[in-house]
Amino acid sequence: QVQLVESGGGLVQPGGSLRLSCAASGFIFSFYDMSWYRQAPGKERELVARITSTGGSTNYADSMKGRFTISRDNPKNTVYLQMNSLKSEDTAVYYCNAQRRSQYYWGQGTQVTVSS
């Protein structure tokens, strides 16, 4: 049974930091590229960051560059998203995604709220 379980979301003040984790099981984690997406109320889901299966390459949405860092630990089957200098516009549900060719898996999401 495939599972992607996100954790680490919550309420943080503007300028603060959070670290999201996504624990994977039920598939060969090291074969999959991993991504974080987010969806704010009334908006479409958007890509935040992606990391290749080996961790050798990453890419970010323009608005996250320099503030967010994606990383992975293949022996632990976990992908992370370090978020710094958070802004109110970063408020959203953050989803973990695994992709290999045409196969996709999604997590259930974790809420991040940036507010004073």
Side-chain angles (χ1 to χ4, degrees):
Q1 180 183 358
V2 171
Q3 281 193 311
L4 292 173
V5 180
E6 300 98 335
S7 61
L11 174 64
V12 63
Q13 292 186 341
S17 298
L18 282 176
R19 188 193 196 205
L20 306 183
S21 300
C22 172
S25 60
F27 63 99
I28 303 175
F29 180 76
S30 62
F31 285 8
Y32 284 70
D33 294 345
M34 298 299 297
S35 300
W36 287 96
Y37 285 76
R38 71 184 186 185
Q39 188 166 19
K43 295 188 177 181
E44 294 188 354
R45 192 172 295 190
E46 63 174 344
L47 175 68
V48 173
R50 176 174 287 126
I51 187 167
T52 55
S53 58
T54 62
S57 179
T58 59
N59 63 281
Y60 299 87
D62 286 344
S63 61
M64 289 72 159
K65 287 180 181 177
R67 300 190 300 124
F68 291 8
T69 303
I70 189 170
S71 60
R72 66 190 294 162
D73 186 335
N74 280 355
K76 293 185 178 180
N77 288 356
T78 303
V79 63
Y80 305 97
L81 184 68
Q82 178 67 44
M83 304 186 294
N84 298 329
S85 302
L86 284 162
K87 306 174 183 179
S88 58
E89 52 262 44
D90 294 318
T91 295
V93 178
Y94 285 70
Y95 296 92
C96 179
N97 168 274
Q99 179 192 355
R100 181 173 184 257
R101 298 172 184 167
S102 61
Q103 183 70 58
Y104 289 84
Y105 303 123
W106 289 95
Q108 83 289 348
T110 186
Q111 176 70 46
V112 171
T113 302
V114 184
S115 175
S116 55

